[in-house]
């Protein structure tokens, strides 16, 4: 596999100037970091405000840097995950969000970003009912983890296609690069299928898959191009499911709840889900907080096969995929 720069993650954020307090102790102030926030204050999103995609690259020290493919922020700048916030709207609905702080070279605050887990509406009163500093990393990890959904068939070493919910630690799984590998841990999460948690459905046949493949939005699929249909300049590609959405053969499935499963191996792997090559869980500073504490401690800070950024440099830039026929081109490129 080629080596290169680590993969970035793109998240939708609002800047502090778009979200201000309309009632309470901080009335008239813009959204700020945890130490300055007061419970029961009411905030509103500015009329017409739209989120922008902020590109994040995980660092080993649990901070982030702004990626160069970002639509907002200063590329290369440091980002800190400040806290998790919980808001309640007048109808009693709960909205969770994360607060990210960008700092300049002198360590001064350059910008504050709000990352909502579900879409926010303008002129809606959001009452601040929760400020969580300790649980912020775990909440972000739930967004960052690549996950398969209930019912997804995973290819075992024997060739059996087994639903992901029936897998067990110790099962032997077929991988693309390292033959048969042992499944070390399975994570499960049930969440509302909204916003950043809404899964992506890749309809049967789209990438020569026999059944629908339903995965988390940033789950990366591995494509081997026999012909370079996208103009990526290389044969091996990693493509995020969200970048293939066209509203027909690849769509966002919002509504209700979704069961997500994370599959962990000793090293980051490409496995087969509904016949499509797709990545397993990658452990880094973004995702490690979802692990049980005893497993996290046992793994340590440097995990061979994860910390050395396997499969880096294979990600396809979103600009190359901003076309309705991207999925069809990838199917054609793979010679299927």
């Amino acid at each position: 596999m080629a080596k290169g720069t680590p993969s970035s993650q793109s998240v939708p954020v609002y800047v502090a100037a778009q979200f201000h307090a309309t009632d309470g102790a901080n009335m008239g102030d813009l959204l700020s970091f945890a130490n300055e926030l007061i419970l029961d204050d009411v905030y509103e999103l500015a009329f017409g405000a739209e989120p922008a995609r902020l590109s994040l690259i995980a660092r080993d020290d649990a901070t982030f840097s702004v990626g160069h493919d970002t639509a907002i922020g200063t590329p290369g700048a440091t980002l800190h995950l400040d806290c998790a916030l919980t808001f309640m709207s007048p109808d009693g609905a709960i909205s969770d969000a994360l607060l990210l702080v960008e700092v300049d070279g002198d360590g001064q605050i350059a910008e504050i970003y709000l990352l909502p887990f579900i879409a926010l509406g303008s002129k809606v009163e959001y009452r601040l009912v929760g400020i969580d500093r300790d649980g912020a990393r775990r909440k972000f990890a739930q967004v960052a983890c690549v996950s398969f959904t209930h019912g997804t068939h995973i290819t075992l070493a024997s060739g059996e296609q087994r639903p992901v919910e029936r897998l067990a630690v110790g099962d032997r799984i077929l991988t693309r690069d390292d033959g048969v590998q042992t499944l070390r841990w399975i994570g499960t999460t049930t969440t509302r299928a909204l916003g950043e948690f809404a899964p992506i459905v890749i309809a049967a046949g789209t990438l020569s898959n026999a059944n629908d493949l339903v995965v988390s939005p940033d789950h990366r699929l591995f494509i081997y191009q026999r012909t370079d249909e996208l103009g990526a300049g290389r044969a091996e590609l990693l493509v995020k499911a969200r970048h293939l959405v066209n509203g027909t053969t690849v769509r966002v499935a919002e509504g209700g709840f979704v069961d997500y499963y994370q599959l962990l191996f000793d090293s980051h792997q490409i496995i087969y889900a509904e016949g499509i090559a797709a990545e397993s869980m990658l452990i880094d500073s973004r995702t490690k907080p979802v692990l049980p504490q005893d497993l996290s401690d046992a793994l340590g800070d440097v995990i061979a096969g994860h910390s050395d950024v396997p499969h880096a440099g294979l990600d396809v830039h979103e600009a190359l995929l901003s076309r309705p026929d991207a999925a069809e081109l990838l199917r054609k490129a793979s010679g299927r």
Side-chain angles (χ1 to χ4, degrees):
M1 286 290 183
K3 297 292 180 181
T5 56
S7 173
S8 62
Q9 179 178 4
S10 173
V11 294
V13 298
Y14 295 98
V15 296
Q18 295 173 304
F19 205 68
H20 66 283
T22 57
D23 193 17
N26 286 323
M27 183 176 176
D29 292 344
L30 303 179
L31 185 68
S32 188
F33 50 90
N35 287 344
E36 295 188 351
L37 296 176
I38 304 294
L39 289 176
D40 215 37
D41 279 0
V42 174
Y43 286 82
E44 288 189 18
L45 183 66
F47 181 75
E50 294 289 341
R53 303 297 301 193
L54 176 66
S55 177
L56 308 176
I57 296 176
R59 292 174 172 171
D60 292 338
D61 61 358
T63 65
F64 303 92
S65 61
V66 180
H68 289 282
D69 57 342
T70 193
I72 195 171
T74 304
T78 296
L79 284 163
H80 295 276
L81 182 54
D82 183 70
C83 63
L85 301 177
T86 302
F87 297 95
M88 184 171 66
S89 53
D91 62 0
I94 295 297
S95 301
D96 292 317
L98 294 172
L99 202 68
L100 293 154
V101 178
E102 178 183 332
V103 297
D104 60 24
D106 296 323
Q108 301 299 309
I109 294 176
E111 187 58 90
I112 295 174
Y113 304 103
L114 183 71
L115 163 57
F117 287 174
I118 63 174
L120 299 179
S122 298
K123 300 303 180 181
V124 176
E125 294 184 339
Y126 293 101
R127 188 173 299 275
L128 182 60
V129 296
I131 304 170
D132 184 1
R133 297 174 179 85
D134 297 330
R137 288 187 63 204
R138 182 172 179 81
K139 285 183 179 292
F140 182 81
Q142 292 173 349
V143 177
C145 281
V146 297
S147 306
F148 300 99
T149 57
H150 187 95
T152 301
H153 292 86
I154 304 297
T155 304
L156 276 63
S158 64
E160 176 189 351
Q161 305 289 305
R162 184 176 296 175
V164 65
E165 66 272 16
R166 289 177 46 206
L167 294 176
V169 171
D171 280 346
R172 304 280 282 168
I173 309 296
L174 180 65
T175 74
R176 182 183 188 276
D177 302 306
D178 295 320
V180 176
Q181 293 292 309
T182 301
L183 187 56
R184 297 301 185 191
W185 178 77
I186 304 172
T188 59
T189 306
T190 299
T191 187
R192 288 188 294 170
L194 297 171
E196 289 300 288
F197 288 108
I200 306 298
V201 179
I202 300 170
T206 302
L207 294 175
S208 300
N209 43 313
N211 303 309
D212 289 355
L213 175 64
V214 188
V215 294
S216 56
D218 280 317
H219 209 130
R220 295 181 298 175
L221 311 177
F222 179 89
I223 305 291
Y224 182 84
Q225 293 194 113
R226 299 181 186 277
T227 57
D228 190 5
E229 298 291 333
L230 284 180
R234 59 185 183 276
E236 295 181 336
L237 309 176
L238 283 174
V239 179
K240 292 180 180 178
R242 74 159 73 247
H243 292 164
L244 295 178
V245 171
N246 55 25
T248 54
T249 60
V250 185
R251 60 183 176 83
V252 180
E254 278 205 313
F257 289 81
V258 59
D259 295 325
Y260 278 133
Y261 295 80
Q262 301 88 42
L263 304 182
L264 178 66
F265 297 86
D266 287 337
S267 59
H268 184 245
Q269 296 291 343
I270 303 298
I271 62 176
Y272 296 92
E274 302 297 355
I276 296 178
E279 68 175 326
S280 66
M281 183 178 179
L282 174 66
I283 297 295
D284 59 18
S285 59
R286 299 173 304 162
T287 58
K288 197 177 180 187
V290 303
L291 297 178
Q293 193 60 52
D294 57 345
L295 177 57
S296 180
D297 293 342
L299 289 173
D301 293 328
V302 179
I303 311 167
H306 290 269
S307 296
D308 54 355
V309 199
H311 308 109
L314 301 184
D315 289 84
V316 177
H317 194 282
E318 183 178 1
L320 290 178
L321 299 165
S322 295
R323 46 190 302 170
D325 62 343
E328 174 60 22
L329 284 179
L330 289 173
R331 188 192 63 77
K332 179 181 177 182
S334 65
R336 296 183 176 184

